[in-house]
Amino acid sequence: MAEARIRRRRLIRTAALSLALAALAAGGAFAQPVALRSPAWSELPAGEREILAPIAPEWDKLDAQRKQKWRGLAQRYPTMTPDAQQRVQQQMGAWVQLSPQQRAIAREQYKTLKQLPPEQKQDVRQKWEKYQSLPPETRQELAATPPAAASAAKTGTLTRPSPPPSAAPATTPR
């Protein structure tokens, strides 16, 4: 008789567990994926709108994930140094002026540079700083030179490096 009670309890536990798992599986089938909140520009807090003002014209065209990344930047902004804040503002303005294709290229360059070994990153950084220190006229001349021609003309003069993502904001969401 004790054996029968034990079997009955096991059977009840197994049935209850099976029902619970079935209910969980059925609930999962009807569950909707959690979507990121995608606020309109007018729904942003005033502080975020002020910080993100350079991208206001583009805001409603952004997907929810990009909006969240920009909002994260706006939340970190007050803790940045004044120099970093100024750089972020300038870079946001430059980012907005890029075409969608140019933004995609900048994102790919960023991903590529991020995967470089530290010594190659340092080399790229030094070349970029050297390029940035050139007079504006020289940079314009190099910018007008096709990259293939510039690299073929390596005769001891500085050739234009591929702009790293710092040309596009390093702080922009990717």
Side-chain angles (χ1 to χ4, degrees):
M1 184 119 116
E3 230 178 272
R5 263 190 273 152
I6 292 173
R7 276 193 222 137
R8 196 172 327 136
R9 285 184 186 158
R10 284 184 185 161
L11 182 61
I12 291 172
R13 276 191 230 146
T14 304
L17 181 59
S18 297
L19 285 172
L21 289 173
L24 186 63
F30 295 110
Q32 295 293 321
V34 176
L36 290 175
R37 173 118 166 72
S38 183
W41 180 256
S42 61
E43 295 173 331
L44 292 177
E48 286 184 23
R49 283 196 311 260
E50 184 179 335
I51 293 165
L52 300 174
I55 61 167
E58 298 291 316
W59 185 261
D60 291 328
K61 299 174 192 168
L62 298 173
D63 61 42
Q65 183 180 13
R66 296 242 186 270
K67 286 180 180 180
Q68 285 302 111
K69 289 183 179 187
W70 281 114
R71 292 188 76 195
L73 171 70
Q75 290 167 4
R76 291 189 310 275
Y77 187 87
T79 65
M80 295 177 183
T81 65
D83 287 342
Q85 289 178 349
Q86 182 181 5
R87 190 177 71 245
V88 165
Q89 289 294 316
Q90 290 170 344
Q91 290 175 338
M92 275 194 283
W95 186 254
V96 168
Q97 293 176 358
L98 296 176
S99 70
Q101 182 182 12
Q102 290 170 321
R103 292 177 195 170
I105 290 169
R107 286 185 192 104
E108 287 304 314
Q109 286 178 336
Y110 176 80
K111 289 176 189 174
T112 300
L113 287 173
K114 199 167 183 147
Q115 295 173 355
L116 289 177
E119 60 277 354
Q120 285 184 332
K121 284 182 188 178
Q122 183 62 31
D123 185 43
V124 170
R125 195 171 292 118
Q126 287 173 347
K127 286 180 182 178
W128 181 248
E129 288 169 2
K130 192 172 180 181
Y131 174 78
Q132 291 291 77
S133 68
L134 292 173
E137 303 81 31
T138 307
R139 284 188 298 190
Q140 287 176 348
E141 288 173 22
L142 288 172
T145 308
S151 61
K154 286 186 181 178
T155 59
T157 59
L158 179 68
T159 58
R160 177 181 56 168
S162 298
S166 61
T171 56
T172 57
R174 302 207 181 340

